[in-house]
Every structure is written in structure tokens, then in C-alpha cells.
């Protein structure tokens, strides 16, 4: 199907944006999983839905902007921006989340220890 050339930058922008947003969906799944590290079944379910949402997002962006034509560069760009988000911003989110979680568990432990010493003493 022939369509105007100015649609190509729009396609590239929206596919990149959807790849980045899909990476954020994976970060959100990891955010919910971080305190529940031992729940392997929950991890599999959340990752399944994250992948499903990511590719549904790609499908509808491609359908709307690219008139349903699927091209290899669209998939490559989507995966590139998904991985770019995961290895840059996703890494920073995970690091910040783990520091906050460790700080909160230490704080919770100190509060419990103070309550026990007041009850005993």
C-alpha cells in the first residue's frame, strides 16, 4: 500500500515510544515482584501478561500508523527500544528500588527491636 513519506518518522517515533513503554511495563511487573521473590508462579504470570501487553501495543501501533503493514525494521526498532529501556532506565529503577527496600526493612527491624526492648525493660 502506498502512503505518504511523512508517515515514516511518525511510525518510528510511535514504535520507539511503544517499545519504551513496554519496557516500563516490565519494570512495573518487577516492582510488584521485588518484595515477593519466592513466588515463582506469580513471576511467570506477570511476565506473561507483560509480554502480551507489549506485543498488543506493538500490534495496534503498527495497525494504526503503518496501515497494518508489518515490516522487519518495525520489530527490530521495537525490540531495540524495549531492550534500551530495560538495560538503562530499568537498571536504575531496580537499583533504586532495592536500596529503598533495604532501607525500609532496616528501619522496620529497628522499630521492632526498640518496641521489644521497651516491653522487656
Amino acid at each position: 500500500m502506498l502512503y505518504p513519506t511523512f508517515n515514516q518518522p511518525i511510525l518510528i517515533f510511535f514504535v520507539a515510544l511503544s517499545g519504551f513503554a513496554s519496557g516500563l511495563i516490565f519494570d512495573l511487573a518487577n516492582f510488584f515482584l521485588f518484595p515477593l521473590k519466592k513466588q515463582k508462579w506469580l513471576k511467570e504470570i506477570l511476565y506473561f501478561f507483560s509480554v502480551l501487553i507489549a506485543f498488543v501495543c506493538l500490534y495496534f501501533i503498527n495497525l494504526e500508523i503503518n496501515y497494518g503493514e508489518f515490516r522487519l525494521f518495525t520489530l527490530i526498532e521495537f525490540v531495540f527500544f524495549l531492550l534500551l529501556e530495560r538495560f538503562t532506565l530499568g537498571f536504575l529503577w531496580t537499583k533504586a528500588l532495592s536500596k529503598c527496600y533495604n532501607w525500609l526493612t532496616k528501619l522496620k527491624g529497628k522499630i521492632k527491636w526498640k518496641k521489644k526492648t521497651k516491653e522487656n525493660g
Side-chain angles (χ1 to χ4, degrees), residues 9-53:
I10 294 171
L11 172 70
I12 290 171
F13 174 73
F14 279 110
V15 169
L17 189 65
S18 67
F20 200 76
S22 296
L24 290 175
I25 291 170
F26 279 100
D27 287 339
L28 186 65
N30 286 335
F31 177 74
F32 287 123
L33 287 173
F34 190 75
L36 308 169
K37 291 180 182 177
K38 296 180 181 176
Q39 303 292 333
K40 185 151 178 99
W41 60 272
L42 186 61
K43 178 181 177 181
E44 298 299 325
I45 290 172
L46 283 177
Y47 277 175
F48 172 76
F49 282 113
S50 297
V51 169
L52 186 68
I53 290 170

Side-chain angles (χ1 to χ4, degrees), residues 55-121:
F55 281 104
V56 165
C57 181
L58 173 65
Y59 175 75
F60 282 112
I61 288 292
N62 192 43
L63 190 65
E64 184 67 30
I65 302 295
N66 207 16
Y67 302 112
E69 289 185 15
F70 193 77
R71 297 185 178 159
L72 184 61
F73 81 88
T74 307
L75 181 63
I76 291 171
E77 180 190 5
F78 177 79
V79 170
F80 174 75
F81 277 96
L82 177 92
L83 293 175
L84 182 70
E85 193 281 332
R86 293 295 301 135
F87 290 121
T88 57
L89 188 61
F91 179 72
L92 295 174
W93 280 107
T94 305
K95 205 154 191 67
L97 179 66
S98 65
K99 285 186 180 185
C100 288
Y101 180 76
N102 290 337
W103 179 76
L104 286 174
T105 54
K106 285 180 185 177
L107 183 66
K108 184 179 173 186
K110 286 180 183 179
I111 291 172
K112 282 185 177 180
W113 187 76
K114 285 181 182 179
K115 283 183 181 179
K116 287 182 181 179
T117 55
K118 285 182 182 179
E119 290 173 0
N120 293 337

